[in-house]
Amino acid sequence: MIENLDWNIGRVLQTLDDLGIADDTMVIYFSDRGDTARESREDS
């Protein structure tokens, strides 16, 4: 999973570079930690 995420973020960054907008673009990644939400439902 991490390898896939890393590869796809690399694709985004490369595309920004190819378009010439990488220096003017901020990429922000958020994770919702959905795996822990499932665990808390099972405890209820």
Side-chain angles (χ1 to χ4, degrees), residues 7-27:
W7 185 77
N8 281 299
I9 290 175
R11 290 178 58 207
V12 170
L13 297 177
Q14 184 62 54
T15 300
L16 293 172
D17 196 40
D18 292 346
L19 293 172
I21 59 173
D23 290 338
D24 299 319
T25 304
M26 182 183 301
V27 176

Side-chain angles (χ1 to χ4, degrees), residues 23-43:
D23 290 338
D24 299 319
T25 304
M26 182 183 301
V27 176
I28 302 173
Y29 171 77
F30 289 90
S31 173
D32 68 359
R33 295 285 301 174
D35 59 326
T36 57
R38 184 183 58 164
E39 290 173 8
S40 65
R41 284 193 308 248
E42 292 173 356
D43 292 338

